[in-house]
Amino acid sequence: MKSFLTIILVAGMTLTASAGKKQTSAHGYPINPVPFTSVKVTPGTFWGQRLEASRKVTIPLAFSKCEETGRYTNFSNAAQHLKDPSKVFKVEGLSFDDTDPYKTIEGASYILQTYPDKKLVQYIDSVLDVIASAQEPDGYLYTARTQNPKEPHEWAGDKRWSKEEDLSHELYNLGHMVEAAIAHFQATGSRKFLDIAIRYADCVCREVGPNPGQACVVPGHQIAEMALAKLYLVTGDKKYLDEAKFFLDYRGKTTIVHDYSQAHKPVIEQDEAVGHAVRAAYMYAGMADVAALTGDKDYIKAIDAIWDNIVSKKLYITGGIGATSNGEAFGKNYELPNMSAYCETCAAIGNVYVNYRLFLLHGDSKYYDVLERTLYNGLISGVSLEGNGFFYPNPLESMGQHQRQAWFGCACCPSNICRFIPSLPGYVYAVKDRNVYVNLFLSNKGNLSVAGKKVVLSQATEYPWNGDIVVTVDQNTAGQFAMKIRVPGWVRNQVVPSNLYQYSDNKRLGYTITVNGSVVGSMSADGYYTISRKWKKGDKVQIHFDMEARTVRANNKVEADRGMVSVERGPLVYCAEHPDNHFDIMGALLNQTPLFILGKGEIAGTPIQTLTTSAQTLNFNKQGKLEALDQTLTLIPYYAWCHRGSGKMRVWLPQDLNATNPSQPATLASQSKVTTSSEVPALSSINDRLVPKDENDRSVPYTHWWPKKACTEWLAYEFPQELTVQSATVYWFDDGPWGGCRVPKSWRILYRDAQGQWQPVSGADGYPTEKGAACTVNFNPVKTSALRLEVELPDDNAAGLFEWIVK
């Protein structure tokens, strides 16, 4: 297999992909999706730039990381063992590392539709050769076991499926394999990967189920449910849908019975989104699949209730889901903290999956309203505009402790967004009988089948920067049909389909939709403007949505957002970030009736539109008096933050005095230079003058030494000049039981003497280790130019702290 780094992706190369060939799939959804193979996005546009970045940067990067990090080696090792059982290998990494090549192949397959590339196809084929070589004779494909069956990965268990409900991820790996194989088949017409996936799926159907002799287990990490439903659609073989339904029917009835994995009760009895947000979203997508494909009323009732719970109590304004890092999970109803918001990129992708499937089931625009909000904000924020920097969580506020990473050891988010962005063309249109749904607005050309006849539509637009869209009928052999154009909720004065958020500026936006200059059609209760006519080639539908900056208030039950507003324009949520505002944005107070001026800017070589408005900052001066200063506040689209270095950012801006947080006067700690024994994240958090309300407060930043343990680390303050100090207070960070940090085993304070040597302070009255509280030590006054905090980490965990104060 040639290294991907040696392959140049040439846009001008052509490939005759058999995407248009007939496939053995009969859609079972009430509304038929228009697949990604039928829609070509226009290059150079908002989404064209994103696809180009995926093609040129993200996908090559992901493939190269698969090479560098031994993902392919795992398959080669497994193949060697299958040929010669005496050859065994030490199994390292994570039990789901196999999915990174799968997800990257999936993204590459999607991108082939927009950018055909023969060399990319050849490279994928070479990777598939390696993957196929690791498949056992009965179809089982799980390198974490096959490399060394007697000593497999520590999460794998001593035999197949024995730890599936814990951490083996055998069925999770199957799910991603099937998703990728179907995309590859649809993009290229080749069955090479599809046949590999079918063999593994058949193995699972034989060995996992409720019958005697089968392993009666359900996926520990869901995704196989939605993947098998898709495999049923592609092959027409109902056993795959039956297996997907088995996984759901038996959830809460096997050994896994906790809400972290959504197994606390049978799925049809669930009505609240709980537990790990990614697992949950994938399961809810699978439930929506089963509901739509079987018509099962119990499933429909359950998934509708769960969706309602999310959009009315657990959805961030950015469309993100997952409030807490504890279990990467949903929080309680209305628990939506900002700085500690988890909002994992994978969870945002899962949220799109759920809403897309519910649209295919119900046909209501409200699902696309949520999908669009997630897509333009909490999802694409997860990858940089250049395509080479990633967020795992996507917080709505930062003190500078967050930064984009080039990759992660647990690479689920980069590889997941690698596969999602190129799949976007498959979300634009849908068809039911003689109804054509126009759901997303982006420049493209779509080839649709309406009543078995060809219809070609094209869109031209600068959306999301303005609300003008032209839909042109380029070809129509179907005669009369209804074009259903989604009128977004933000146009209809609805932030989300619930009372979780409301516009607070009393504006009323309008829209016009005409055909060849004439007003026709009407608005329907499902949120679509419907135009039914016998369309002719060259007919133009001209759409105009008023697009103005709006302010939004959260339901007062959302404690984190009380007294504050967020700002959005069209589908884009905006934020304030440090490079654009040369003052402390955390102390900013928005005017009661703010006026916004639209401007232009550029971030990472990509054009954006900015918003500016008048505001004030509240600061305590050196005398401790509160001052108000007039400022001009600049806002950028949320998805574009953290491209210009780490620093302060916030989405929710105070508008009421009781929500303000005036900038605090400088302290000895905040004026000191911080040095460390080793590199730690968010170092600025220890002297930012923010302390936690209690041990569970994650609204203020913290630093930590994870994954280190059983060692001694230190932090030091270098004072501006020699001073006398006599006390130190530390607020310890402890994220047990889920996380890896605990209060320290012990700690002490040292000072630097006149000879430059570190000496322990004398007369210390104790070194308390209460988590999240003020742990103060008083000692004999000492004159020094530097103080050191020395920390002995626990034997089995790391340690961390919110704040270190010296006096």
Side-chain angles (χ1 to χ4, degrees), residues 750-768:
L750 300 92
Y751 71 96
R752 189 165 61 197
D753 64 20
Q755 289 72 44
Q757 301 299 310
W758 291 99
Q759 307 291 344
V761 296
S762 61
D765 60 2
Y767 290 100

Side-chain angles (χ1 to χ4, degrees), residues 326 695-696 698 733-743 771 797:
N326 287 337
E695 64 190 70
N696 299 312
R698 298 295 180 266
F733 171 74
D734 185 317
D735 60 357
W738 293 102
C741 289
R742 301 294 184 272
V743 296
K771 58 184 180 180
N797 290 280

Side-chain angles (χ1 to χ4, degrees), residues 77-85 87 132-137 140 146:
N77 290 347
Q80 290 186 59
H81 174 78
L82 290 175
K83 290 180 180 179
D84 182 356
K87 290 185 176 180
S133 70
Q135 190 160 36
E136 297 189 18
Y140 185 75
T146 306

Side-chain angles (χ1 to χ4, degrees), residues 148-353:
N148 192 337
K150 292 185 179 179
E151 295 183 24
H153 192 282
E154 61 180 332
W155 292 353
D158 59 356
K159 60 182 180 180
R160 293 181 183 181
W161 326 118
S162 61
K163 282 195 174 182
E164 171 54 39
E165 296 187 348
D166 188 7
L167 288 170
S168 78
H169 288 82
E170 287 153 287
L171 297 176
Y172 176 78
N173 289 9
L174 167 72
H176 275 299
M177 178 194 291
V178 169
E179 293 269 337
I182 291 172
H184 181 259
F185 170 60
Q186 292 174 330
T188 68
S190 168
R191 290 185 61 95
K192 187 171 185 176
F193 198 5
L194 184 64
D195 287 341
I196 296 170
I198 286 175
R199 291 185 65 210
Y200 191 15
D202 288 347
C203 172
V204 169
C205 290
R206 286 193 308 270
E207 297 189 6
V208 181
N211 301 315
Q214 291 183 304
C216 188
V217 297
V218 297
H221 191 311
Q222 302 92 317
I223 195 176
E225 300 87 344
M226 54 191 283
L228 288 171
K230 187 179 290 187
L231 188 59
Y232 154 68
L233 291 172
V234 170
T235 64
D237 193 334
K238 191 171 178 293
K239 72 179 179 185
Y240 302 123
L241 180 61
D242 292 340
E243 187 78 1
K245 193 170 186 296
F246 158 73
F247 287 153
L248 292 165
D249 285 346
Y250 274 72
R251 199 162 200 87
K253 302 175 183 177
T254 61
T255 60
I256 180 173
V257 291
H258 46 71
D259 59 6
Y260 172 81
S261 294
Q262 301 75 45
H264 54 300
K265 62 176 72 172
V267 298
I268 59 173
E269 297 177 15
Q270 297 185 30
D271 58 7
E272 181 181 357
V274 298
H276 189 276
V278 180
R279 296 168 186 248
Y282 287 175
M283 187 184 86
Y284 302 153
M287 290 175 65
D289 279 331
V290 168
L293 297 174
T294 67
D296 189 305
K297 292 182 179 179
D298 289 333
Y299 271 83
I300 295 173
K301 179 181 178 182
I303 190 58
D304 284 350
I306 292 168
W307 179 85
D308 184 70
N309 174 253
I310 293 173
V311 299
S312 63
K313 298 178 178 67
K314 299 191 177 186
L315 182 72
Y316 278 91
I317 192 67
T318 57
I321 54 175
T324 175
S325 61
N326 287 337
E328 301 177 335
F330 285 101
K332 300 175 183 177
N333 289 338
Y334 302 106
E335 181 186 354
L336 295 168
N338 292 309
M339 191 174 300
S340 61
Y342 206 66
C343 291
E344 187 178 337
T345 300
C346 289
I349 292 171
N351 198 24
V352 167
Y353 291 156

Side-chain angles (χ1 to χ4, degrees), residues 23 84 87 111 142 186 215 278 282 307 346 403 408 410 590-591 599 604 623 644 670:
Q23 299 171 4
D84 182 356
K87 290 185 176 180
I111 210 71
Y142 179 64
Q186 292 174 330
V278 180
Y282 287 175
W307 179 85
C346 289
Q403 55 189 347
F408 299 95
C410 175
L590 213 59
N591 291 353
Q623 290 73 42
R644 300 166 291 176
S670 71

Side-chain angles (χ1 to χ4, degrees), residues 8-15 52 55-56 114-118:
I8 302 174
L9 299 181
V10 183
M13 301 194 72
T14 60
L15 170 70
E52 182 81 352
R55 178 183 76 93
K56 288 184 175 180
T114 304
Y115 299 101
D117 190 301
K118 188 175 181 179

